[in-house]
Every structure is written in structure tokens, then in C-alpha cells.
CSV table of all heavy atoms in Angstrom, one decimal:
chain,number,residue,atom,x,y,z
A,1205,VAL,N,226.3,97.3,229.2
A,1205,VAL,CA,226.6,97.6,227.9
A,1205,VAL,C,227.7,96.7,227.5
A,1205,VAL,O,227.5,95.9,226.4
A,1205,VAL,CB,227.0,99.1,227.6
A,1205,VAL,CG1,227.6,99.1,226.0
A,1205,VAL,CG2,225.9,100.0,227.7
A,1206,LEU,N,228.8,96.5,228.2
A,1206,LEU,CA,229.9,95.7,227.9
A,1206,LEU,C,229.4,94.1,227.8
A,1206,LEU,O,229.9,93.3,227.0
A,1206,LEU,CB,231.0,95.8,228.8
A,1206,LEU,CG,231.8,97.2,228.8
A,1206,LEU,CD1,232.7,97.3,229.9
A,1206,LEU,CD2,232.4,97.2,227.3
A,1207,GLY,N,228.5,93.7,228.7
A,1207,GLY,CA,228.1,92.4,228.8
A,1207,GLY,C,227.4,91.9,227.6
A,1207,GLY,O,227.6,90.9,227.0
A,1208,GLN,N,226.6,92.9,227.1
A,1208,GLN,CA,225.8,92.7,225.8
A,1208,GLN,C,226.8,92.5,224.6
A,1208,GLN,O,226.6,91.8,223.6
A,1208,GLN,CB,224.8,93.7,225.6
A,1208,GLN,CG,223.7,93.7,226.6
A,1208,GLN,CD,222.7,95.0,226.5
A,1208,GLN,OE1,221.8,94.8,225.6
A,1208,GLN,NE2,223.1,95.9,227.2
A,1209,ARG,N,227.9,93.3,224.7
A,1209,ARG,CA,228.8,93.4,223.5
A,1209,ARG,C,229.5,92.0,223.6
A,1209,ARG,O,229.7,91.5,222.4
A,1209,ARG,CB,229.8,94.5,223.8
A,1209,ARG,CG,230.9,94.5,222.6
A,1209,ARG,CD,231.8,95.7,222.7
A,1209,ARG,NE,232.8,95.8,221.8
A,1209,ARG,CZ,233.8,96.6,221.7
A,1209,ARG,NH1,233.8,97.6,222.6
A,1209,ARG,NH2,234.8,96.6,220.7
A,1210,ILE,N,229.9,91.4,224.6
A,1210,ILE,CA,230.5,90.2,224.8
A,1210,ILE,C,229.5,89.1,224.0
A,1210,ILE,O,230.0,88.2,223.3
A,1210,ILE,CB,230.8,89.7,226.2
A,1210,ILE,CG1,232.0,90.5,226.7
A,1210,ILE,CG2,231.2,88.3,226.2
A,1210,ILE,CD1,232.3,90.4,228.1
A,1211,VAL,N,228.3,89.1,224.4
A,1211,VAL,CA,227.4,88.2,223.9
A,1211,VAL,C,227.2,88.3,222.4
A,1211,VAL,O,227.2,87.4,221.6
A,1211,VAL,CB,225.9,88.4,224.4
A,1211,VAL,CG1,224.8,87.5,223.7
A,1211,VAL,CG2,226.0,88.0,226.0
A,1212,PHE,N,227.3,89.6,221.8
A,1212,PHE,CA,227.4,89.8,220.4
A,1212,PHE,C,228.4,89.1,219.6
A,1212,PHE,O,228.2,88.5,218.7
A,1212,PHE,CB,227.3,91.3,220.2
A,1212,PHE,CG,227.4,91.7,218.7
A,1212,PHE,CD1,226.5,91.6,217.8
A,1212,PHE,CD2,228.8,92.3,218.3
A,1212,PHE,CE1,226.7,92.0,216.4
A,1212,PHE,CE2,228.9,92.5,217.0
A,1212,PHE,CZ,227.8,92.4,216.2
A,1213,HIS,N,229.7,89.3,220.3
A,1213,HIS,CA,230.9,88.7,219.7
A,1213,HIS,C,230.8,87.2,219.8
A,1213,HIS,O,231.3,86.6,218.8
A,1213,HIS,CB,232.1,89.2,220.4
A,1213,HIS,CG,232.4,90.7,219.9
A,1213,HIS,ND1,232.4,91.2,218.7
A,1213,HIS,CD2,232.8,91.7,220.8
A,1213,HIS,CE1,232.7,92.5,218.7
A,1213,HIS,NE2,232.8,92.8,219.9
A,1214,MET,N,230.3,86.7,220.9
A,1214,MET,CA,230.2,85.2,220.9
A,1214,MET,C,229.4,84.7,219.8
A,1214,MET,O,229.6,83.6,219.3
A,1214,MET,CB,229.7,84.9,222.3
A,1214,MET,CG,230.7,85.1,223.4
A,1214,MET,SD,232.1,84.0,223.5
A,1214,MET,CE,231.3,82.4,223.8
A,1215,GLU,N,228.2,85.4,219.7
A,1215,GLU,CA,227.3,84.9,218.5
A,1215,GLU,C,227.9,85.0,217.2
A,1215,GLU,O,227.6,84.1,216.5
A,1215,GLU,CB,226.0,85.6,218.8
A,1215,GLU,CG,225.0,85.3,219.9
A,1215,GLU,CD,224.8,83.8,219.9
A,1215,GLU,OE1,224.1,83.4,218.9
A,1215,GLU,OE2,224.9,83.2,221.0
A,1216,ARG,N,228.6,86.1,217.1
A,1216,ARG,CA,229.2,86.2,215.7
A,1216,ARG,C,230.1,85.2,215.4
A,1216,ARG,O,230.3,84.7,214.2
A,1216,ARG,CB,229.7,87.7,215.7
A,1216,ARG,CG,230.4,88.0,214.2
A,1216,ARG,CD,230.7,89.4,214.1
A,1216,ARG,NE,231.2,89.7,212.8
A,1216,ARG,CZ,230.4,89.9,211.8
A,1216,ARG,NH1,229.1,89.7,211.8
A,1216,ARG,NH2,230.9,90.3,210.6
A,1217,THR,N,231.0,84.8,216.4
A,1217,THR,CA,232.0,83.7,216.0
A,1217,THR,C,231.3,82.4,216.0
A,1217,THR,O,231.7,81.5,215.3
A,1217,THR,CB,233.1,83.7,217.2
A,1217,THR,OG1,232.4,83.4,218.5
A,1217,THR,CG2,233.9,84.8,217.2
A,1218,ARG,N,230.2,82.1,216.6
A,1218,ARG,CA,229.4,80.9,216.5
A,1218,ARG,C,228.8,80.9,215.0
A,1218,ARG,O,228.8,79.8,214.4
A,1218,ARG,CB,228.3,80.8,217.5
A,1218,ARG,CG,227.5,79.5,217.4
A,1218,ARG,CD,226.5,79.5,218.5
A,1218,ARG,NE,225.4,80.5,218.3
A,1218,ARG,CZ,224.5,80.3,217.6
A,1218,ARG,NH1,224.4,79.1,216.8
A,1218,ARG,NH2,223.5,81.2,217.4
A,1219,GLU,N,228.2,81.9,214.6
A,1219,GLU,CA,227.6,82.0,213.2
A,1219,GLU,C,228.6,82.0,212.1
A,1219,GLU,O,228.3,81.6,211.0
A,1219,GLU,CB,226.6,83.2,213.2
A,1219,GLU,CG,225.4,83.2,214.1
A,1219,GLU,CD,224.7,84.4,214.3
A,1219,GLU,OE1,225.1,85.4,213.6
A,1219,GLU,OE2,223.8,84.4,215.1
A,1220,ARG,N,229.7,82.7,212.4
A,1220,ARG,CA,230.8,82.8,211.4
A,1220,ARG,C,232.1,82.4,212.0
A,1220,ARG,O,232.8,83.1,212.5
A,1220,ARG,CB,230.8,84.3,210.9
A,1220,ARG,CG,229.7,84.8,210.2
A,1220,ARG,CD,229.8,84.6,208.7
A,1220,ARG,NE,231.1,84.8,208.1
A,1220,ARG,CZ,231.4,86.3,207.8
A,1220,ARG,NH1,230.4,87.2,207.8
A,1220,ARG,NH2,232.6,86.6,207.3
A,1221,PRO,N,232.3,81.0,211.8
A,1221,PRO,CA,233.6,80.5,212.4
A,1221,PRO,C,234.9,81.3,211.9
A,1221,PRO,O,235.9,81.4,212.5
A,1221,PRO,CB,233.7,79.0,212.2
A,1221,PRO,CG,232.2,78.8,211.9
A,1221,PRO,CD,231.5,79.9,211.3
A,1222,ASP,N,234.8,81.8,210.6
A,1222,ASP,CA,236.0,82.4,210.2
A,1222,ASP,C,236.3,83.7,211.0
A,1222,ASP,O,237.6,84.1,210.9
A,1222,ASP,CB,235.9,82.7,208.7
A,1222,ASP,CG,234.6,83.6,208.5
A,1222,ASP,OD1,233.6,83.3,209.0
A,1222,ASP,OD2,234.8,84.7,207.8
A,1223,GLN,N,235.3,84.3,211.7
A,1223,GLN,CA,235.6,85.4,212.4
A,1223,GLN,C,236.2,85.1,213.8
A,1223,GLN,O,236.6,86.1,214.4
A,1223,GLN,CB,234.1,86.1,212.8
A,1223,GLN,CG,233.4,86.6,211.5
A,1223,GLN,CD,234.3,87.6,210.7
A,1223,GLN,OE1,234.4,88.8,211.2
A,1223,GLN,NE2,234.7,87.2,209.6
A,1224,GLU,N,236.5,83.9,214.0
A,1224,GLU,CA,237.3,83.7,215.3
A,1224,GLU,C,238.8,84.2,215.1
A,1224,GLU,O,239.4,84.3,216.1
A,1224,GLU,CB,237.4,82.1,215.4
A,1224,GLU,CG,236.1,81.5,215.8
A,1224,GLU,CD,236.2,80.1,216.2
A,1224,GLU,OE1,237.4,79.5,216.1
A,1224,GLU,OE2,235.2,79.3,216.3
A,1225,ALA,N,239.1,84.5,213.9
A,1225,ALA,CA,240.6,85.2,213.8
A,1225,ALA,C,240.6,86.5,214.4
A,1225,ALA,O,241.5,87.0,214.9
A,1225,ALA,CB,240.7,85.4,212.2
A,1226,PHE,N,239.4,87.2,214.8
A,1226,PHE,CA,239.3,88.4,215.5
A,1226,PHE,C,238.8,88.3,216.8
A,1226,PHE,O,238.9,89.4,217.6
A,1226,PHE,CB,238.4,89.5,214.7
A,1226,PHE,CG,238.7,89.4,213.2
A,1226,PHE,CD1,237.8,88.8,212.3
A,1226,PHE,CD2,239.7,90.2,212.9
A,1226,PHE,CE1,238.2,89.0,211.0
A,1226,PHE,CE2,240.0,90.3,211.4
A,1226,PHE,CZ,239.2,89.6,210.5
A,1227,ALA,N,238.6,87.1,217.3
A,1227,ALA,CA,237.9,87.1,218.7
A,1227,ALA,C,238.9,87.6,219.8
A,1227,ALA,O,238.4,88.2,220.7
A,1227,ALA,CB,237.6,85.5,218.9
A,1228,ARG,N,240.1,87.2,219.8
A,1228,ARG,CA,241.1,87.6,220.7
A,1228,ARG,C,241.1,89.1,220.9
A,1228,ARG,O,241.1,89.6,222.0
A,1228,ARG,CB,242.5,87.1,220.6
A,1228,ARG,CG,243.3,87.2,221.7
A,1228,ARG,CD,244.6,86.4,221.7
A,1228,ARG,NE,245.4,86.7,220.5
A,1228,ARG,CZ,246.6,86.2,220.4
A,1228,ARG,NH1,247.2,85.3,221.1
A,1228,ARG,NH2,247.4,86.6,219.4
A,1229,SER,N,241.1,89.7,219.8
A,1229,SER,CA,241.2,91.2,219.7
A,1229,SER,C,239.9,91.8,220.3
A,1229,SER,O,239.9,92.6,221.2
A,1229,SER,CB,241.4,91.7,218.4
A,1229,SER,OG,241.3,93.2,218.3
A,1230,TRP,N,238.7,91.2,219.8
A,1230,TRP,CA,237.5,91.8,220.3
A,1230,TRP,C,237.2,91.6,221.8
A,1230,TRP,O,237.1,92.6,222.5
A,1230,TRP,CB,236.4,90.9,219.7
A,1230,TRP,CG,236.1,91.2,218.2
A,1230,TRP,CD1,236.6,92.2,217.5
A,1230,TRP,CD2,235.5,90.3,217.3
A,1230,TRP,NE1,236.2,92.1,216.2
A,1230,TRP,CE2,235.5,90.9,216.0
A,1230,TRP,CE3,234.7,89.1,217.4
A,1230,TRP,CZ2,234.9,90.5,214.9
A,1230,TRP,CZ3,234.2,88.5,216.2
A,1230,TRP,CH2,234.4,89.2,215.0
A,1231,PHE,N,237.6,90.5,222.4
A,1231,PHE,CA,237.4,90.3,223.8
A,1231,PHE,C,238.4,91.0,224.6
A,1231,PHE,O,238.2,91.3,225.7
A,1231,PHE,CB,237.5,88.7,224.1
A,1231,PHE,CG,236.4,87.9,223.4
A,1231,PHE,CD1,236.5,86.7,223.0
A,1231,PHE,CD2,235.1,88.4,223.5
A,1231,PHE,CE1,235.5,86.1,222.3
A,1231,PHE,CE2,234.0,87.6,223.0
A,1231,PHE,CZ,234.3,86.5,222.3
A,1232,GLY,N,239.7,91.2,224.0
A,1232,GLY,CA,240.7,91.8,224.7
A,1232,GLY,C,240.3,93.3,225.0
A,1232,GLY,O,240.5,93.8,226.1
A,1233,ARG,N,239.7,93.9,224.0
A,1233,ARG,CA,239.4,95.4,224.1
A,1233,ARG,C,238.3,95.5,225.1
A,1233,ARG,O,238.2,96.5,226.0
A,1233,ARG,CB,239.1,96.1,222.7
A,1233,ARG,CG,238.0,95.5,222.0
A,1233,ARG,CD,238.0,95.8,220.5
A,1233,ARG,NE,237.9,97.3,220.2
A,1233,ARG,CZ,237.9,97.9,219.0
A,1233,ARG,NH1,238.5,97.0,218.0
A,1233,ARG,NH2,237.9,99.2,218.9
A,1234,VAL,N,237.4,94.6,225.2
A,1234,VAL,CA,236.3,94.6,226.3
A,1234,VAL,C,236.7,94.4,227.6
A,1234,VAL,O,236.5,95.0,228.5
A,1234,VAL,CB,235.1,93.6,225.9
A,1234,VAL,CG1,234.2,93.6,226.9
A,1234,VAL,CG2,234.5,93.8,224.4
A,1235,ALA,N,237.7,93.4,227.7
A,1235,ALA,CA,238.3,93.0,228.9
A,1235,ALA,C,239.1,94.4,229.5
A,1235,ALA,O,239.1,94.7,230.7
A,1235,ALA,CB,239.2,91.9,228.8
A,1236,ARG,N,239.7,95.0,228.7
A,1236,ARG,CA,240.4,96.3,229.2
A,1236,ARG,C,239.5,97.3,229.5
A,1236,ARG,O,239.8,98.0,230.6
A,1236,ARG,CB,241.3,96.8,228.0
A,1236,ARG,CG,242.1,98.1,228.5
A,1236,ARG,CD,243.1,98.5,227.3
A,1236,ARG,NE,244.1,97.6,227.2
A,1236,ARG,CZ,245.3,97.8,226.6
A,1236,ARG,NH1,245.5,99.0,226.1
A,1236,ARG,NH2,246.2,96.9,226.6
A,1237,GLN,N,238.3,97.5,229.0
A,1237,GLN,CA,237.3,98.5,229.3
A,1237,GLN,C,236.7,97.9,230.7
A,1237,GLN,O,236.4,98.8,231.6
A,1237,GLN,CB,236.3,98.6,228.3
A,1237,GLN,CG,236.9,99.4,227.1
A,1237,GLN,CD,235.8,99.6,226.0
A,1237,GLN,OE1,235.1,98.7,225.7
A,1237,GLN,NE2,235.7,100.8,225.5
A,1238,MET,N,236.5,96.6,230.9
A,1238,MET,CA,235.9,96.1,232.1
A,1238,MET,C,236.8,96.4,233.2
A,1238,MET,O,236.5,96.8,234.3
A,1238,MET,CB,235.6,94.7,232.0
A,1238,MET,CG,234.4,94.3,231.2
A,1238,MET,SD,234.0,92.6,231.4
A,1238,MET,CE,232.3,92.6,230.8
A,1239,GLY,N,238.1,96.2,233.0
A,1239,GLY,CA,239.2,96.6,234.1
A,1239,GLY,C,239.1,98.1,234.4
A,1239,GLY,O,239.5,98.4,235.6
A,1240,GLU,N,238.8,98.9,233.6
A,1240,GLU,CA,238.8,100.4,234.1
A,1240,GLU,C,237.5,100.8,234.8
A,1240,GLU,O,237.5,101.8,235.4
A,1240,GLU,CB,238.8,101.2,232.7
A,1240,GLU,CG,239.9,101.1,232.0
A,1240,GLU,CD,239.9,101.9,230.6
A,1240,GLU,OE1,238.8,102.5,230.3
A,1240,GLU,OE2,241.0,102.0,230.0
A,1241,LEU,N,236.5,99.7,235.0
A,1241,LEU,CA,235.4,100.1,235.8
A,1241,LEU,C,235.7,99.8,237.4
A,1241,LEU,O,234.9,100.2,238.1
A,1241,LEU,CB,234.1,99.2,235.3
A,1241,LEU,CG,233.7,99.3,234.0
A,1241,LEU,CD1,232.5,98.3,233.7
A,1241,LEU,CD2,233.4,100.8,233.7
């Protein structure tokens, strides 16, 4: 599930460069959840 979420966020920043403002937060919360696995 988390892997697919990363791909989704990557695609979103590619399609909407202005959304890169949120990329660090998006990937950070996924990384924290991956760490809990």
C-alpha cells in the first residue's frame, strides 16, 4: 500500500510542479510509516 502511495505522490508532483511544496511532508509521513514496519 505504501509503495503505491509513493508512486501516486511522485506522479502528482510531476503533473503539478506547484505541488512540490508539499512533497517533503508527503514523503516524510510515508517514510515514518515504513519505519514502523
Side-chain angles (χ1 to χ4, degrees):
V1205 172
L1206 289 172
Q1208 293 174 85
R1209 182 173 174 184
I1210 288 175
V1211 172
F1212 169 76
H1213 288 314
M1214 289 291 291
E1215 288 298 311
R1216 185 163 180 79
T1217 56
R1218 184 180 65 83
E1219 294 167 3
R1220 291 274 308 276
D1222 63 310
Q1223 297 299 288
E1224 289 182 10
F1226 307 105
R1228 189 168 67 176
S1229 172
W1230 290 341
F1231 296 138
R1233 64 202 289 174
V1234 174
R1236 178 169 293 194
Q1237 290 181 318
M1238 281 186 164
E1240 293 177 355
L1241 299 182

